[in-house]
Structures are given as structure tokens and as C-alpha cells.
Amino acid sequence: MLFNTFEFIFFFLPIVWIGYFLLKKVKLVTGAKLWLIAGSLFFYSWWNIAYLPLLLGSLFVNFGIGTLLSKKDTEIHRKAVLTWGIVLNAALLGYFKYSDFFLMNVNAVMPGELSLLNLALPLAISFFTFQQIAYLVDAYRFEAKNYTFLDYALFVTFFPQLIAGPIVHHKEVMPQFEKMKNHGIQLNNVSAGLFIFTMGLFKKVGIADTLSVFVNEGFRQPESLTFIEGWAVSLSYTFQLYYDFSGYSDMAIGAALLFNIKLPVNFFSPYKALSIQDFWRRWHMTLSQFLTKYIYIPLGGNRKGRVRTLQNIMIVFLISGFWHGAGWTFIFWGFLHGLASVVQNIWKSFGLKLNKYAAWFITFNFVNAAWVFFKAETMTDAWLVLKSMAGLNGFVVSSAVMPPAWAEFFQSIGAGTANFSISMEQWDLWFLFAVLILTLSLKNSIQWKEQFKPTIAYSVAIAVLFSYSILNLTKISEFIYFNF
């Protein structure tokens, strides 16, 4: 089930919310948890019920392993149990997500033809796998509480974060369900939750889905893009991805807040970053935190010398790239960010600094160019888009998107005019430009939430954004991160 559907907004969410607090009101705390778990499993099954046994099996197995690891008086080889637990999770993810990628690469270098499995990627498998690996590691370190299976199932399946995060940590979420003050409806949480949910819905429907039209057309025919087209398409994807994924995170945070649960922030104005390190402190923050705590630090972090530190940085980013998708484009995207992080680390070691405007310009354009590999189906397609952005396909501009005076200027310098190969008009370029300016100048949705007050002004803003979004829900689209 998608957050941006009538079924979720007007039926599923209110029914689950009302049922949960009715059970809480009559002191049926266990019943309320069961209701929420059942609702979350229904939410997951709406997409494809065939993968529900996979989620349930993962729950039972990881809970059993975690329980075994968290007992201090058991005579087991705890490191071996943890290793097998991580291997089982990685194998499950690897089988569904990377089998065909591995087989295709074997076919490319060896004689013969191995048949591809053509497996559909189970929804949310990347997210609940990482979430449960973190739990196993914490249980091994005796940092995880001895949860009941009911509590553990609620932690993993809680529907706002189940499909595409934020990647939550058990210490952040589970205690909140037990707090007495969270057992009743809190109107301040309801109003703030509706506000941030509406902001996320508008991000998805009003901005991301509008930009997706240009993105899809442009990446379908990268060989035909010229200079302005290439930049329009790449920038459109840069903002589409941000508003799509941060919109989902905002809706997840808002939906959870209705239940008095505060999920971690996942985005905080990443395109205002002044370095690649700053970018990763602001983009998909819960993934960055997971990779730092459970991969970078165990590898040695920055404690084993400069060379080892740079090596660990590159390993983490390669893993991040491969986690996002089974393709060389994702791996190369991770490599680019790892390389940029290595360069920044070396740059800082010399005590060098850039003017903040130059730092932002370099960071933003690097991130924008790297996203091309993230979006492109093949490395060839990515290079074709970058080639157009470099002006190697010509500087021809469209008379459809340029004011007459601009078109005359370009003609005077020999650039010429032509029809765009993608369906973009002058208004569309102005829309993209407005998105750029507003993204860089306005507060982000989390900052707006933190200062939220249920005033008339905020109520009007919610009503306008919600009405616009609902009126444009006729064309339902998936969230981009469902593919990862």
C-alpha cells in the first residue's frame, strides 16, 4: 500500500489509528500491539501477499538468534552464532537482490549461458534486513534488551517505517511504545503529524511526480540530449529523488507521530551541504549512521592510520552503492562518493579550506553528476547524459523554452534553436528553477515541524497543500526507494 493513495489516507490510516487508541483506552495494551502488528502486516501484504511468509520467517529467525545472543549464561560460541545470523540475513538479501547480477557477470566472462532467475525483489527487504542485522550485533554486545516476540515484531513491522525507512534502531523506538504518556491521544502530536505528513505528500505529488516526466523521457533517450536538455534532465532527477524520498520519510514521520512515536530524521537540507561529508550527514541519515556504526567503526574507523582510514571510507561507500542496487552503475556511484570522501579527507589533513560558495558549488555539482549513474540503466547511458551536459552534443536550445530575445541571442552566436527531444516547455524550466531556489533558500520540512504551532496560518497551509495533493492523486506513482 502506498502512502499517496486514497486507500491509505482515508481508510487504512484512520481505521488503524482509531482501533489502536480504543484498545489503549480500555487498557488492552497487548491487544493494541497486536492490532498495530496486524495492521502493519496487512499494509505490507497489500503489495504482494506472496512475500509475507518471507518477512515472518525473517522475524522468527532473527528474534531467535537475538534472544540466544542476549543471554549471558548460555554456553555457546557467541561470535559463531552472530556470524551465522549475519550470513543468513545477507544470503537472503543476496539471493533475491543480487542473484541475476552475479549470473549476468558470470555469463559475460565465461563460456556458456547460465539461466537468470528473474526474481522479483521483495518489498522492503533491504531495509528490514539492515534493521535486524543491527539488532543482532547489539544483542551480541549485550546492548539489546530482552524483548518479547510481540515487541520485536512491532519494532520491525511498524508500518510507517517498514517499506522504505527511516532505518530505525530498537533503542530509539521500542521504549516509546511503553511510555505511559504515549498510551493516549496527544493532540499536539496529531496536529504536528498531520502537518509533516501533508508536507511529505505535497513533496511527492506536487514536486517529485511533476519532475519525473522530464526525467523519464530524458533517460529513455540519452543519446539525443543536448546541453540544456542534459542539465534540465539531470537537475530534474536530482530534485525528484530528494523530494520523492524525503517526502516518503516525512510521511513516515508524520504517520508515526499520530501514534506518539517519533522516528529519526532522515533528511536535513542535503543540497545545502558544503562538502561531501556534510552531504552524508544530511542525506539518508539513518543509513549513514548504520554504515558508520556497524561497518566503518568495526573495520577500524580512523583508529588504524591514514591509509587504513581511507581504505575503510572507500569500502563503506562501495557497500552503500551495492546496497542500493544490483548494477555496476550503483557500484560506480558508490565509488565516486568514496573517492570524493577520500579526497576531502586528504584535503582537510593539509588544513585547506574553500570559500563557502565555492564549496557549495563544487559539492552540489558533484552530487548532481553522480546521481546520473544512480538513475541510468547502463554505464553507457550515464556517459551519454554527462556528455550532453559537457556540451559535446552541441549547445542547441529549444525555441519552445526560450523567450524570443534569448533565442535570438543564441542564434547570433551560432548555437541555433531546435525542438526539444523531451516534452519540456518554458514553464517547465521556470518550475525547475523555482524548485532549485526554494530548496536552497527555505527551511526544510523538519525545521518547519519543529516550530509548528496549530495556528490559523498553519491550518490554512495544511489545507491548501493537502487539497492540492488529493486533487492530483489520480496518477498514483511508486516511491523511487521501493526499488532498493
Side-chain angles (χ1 to χ4, degrees), residues 123-255:
L123 194 62
I125 189 170
S126 296
F127 288 90
F128 69 68
T129 298
F130 268 25
Q131 195 169 318
Q132 294 187 102
I133 286 176
Y135 169 74
L136 295 184
V137 173
D138 284 359
Y140 173 78
R141 297 171 177 170
F142 299 116
E143 296 176 0
K145 191 178 174 183
N146 287 323
Y147 300 113
T148 65
F149 178 73
L150 193 66
D151 288 335
Y152 180 75
L154 182 56
F155 152 63
V156 175
T157 65
F158 186 44
F159 73 87
Q161 55 81 41
L162 173 60
I163 306 299
I167 300 174
V168 299
H169 195 274
H170 55 92
K171 287 184 180 179
E172 296 174 322
V173 174
M174 290 316 301
Q176 296 185 59
F177 283 103
E178 305 304 324
K179 289 182 179 179
M180 288 301 298
K181 70 175 185 178
N182 290 342
H183 286 194
I185 296 173
Q186 294 189 34
L187 293 180
N188 59 325
N189 283 341
V190 172
S191 57
L194 291 175
F195 174 74
I196 192 68
F197 182 91
T198 301
M199 291 280 283
L201 183 64
F202 177 76
K203 282 183 177 182
K204 168 63 175 171
V205 176
I207 301 177
D209 287 352
T210 300
L211 293 171
S212 69
V213 177
F214 321 135
V215 174
N216 294 336
E217 287 194 38
F219 276 91
R220 270 199 299 266
Q221 44 188 333
E223 69 286 344
S224 65
L225 300 176
T226 57
F227 179 72
I228 291 182
E229 293 174 320
W231 278 97
V233 168
S234 68
L235 287 171
S236 291
Y237 181 68
T238 289
F239 289 108
Q240 180 205 0
L241 183 63
Y242 169 62
Y243 281 104
D244 191 283
F245 194 18
S246 70
Y248 184 95
S249 295
D250 286 349
M251 284 187 269
I253 290 171

Side-chain angles (χ1 to χ4, degrees), residues 359-381:
W360 171 82
F361 183 80
I362 292 170
T363 302
F364 178 79
N365 280 283
F366 167 80
V367 169
N368 179 63
W371 282 138
V372 172
F373 291 94
F374 196 85
K375 169 61 178 175
E377 293 291 329
T378 65
M379 294 291 287
T380 300
D381 287 349

Side-chain angles (χ1 to χ4, degrees), residues 448-466:
W448 284 109
K449 181 185 79 69
E450 292 304 317
Q451 67 178 43
F452 171 79
K453 294 179 181 178
T455 60
I456 294 177
Y458 273 104
S459 299
V460 170
I462 291 175
V464 170
L465 294 180
F466 186 76

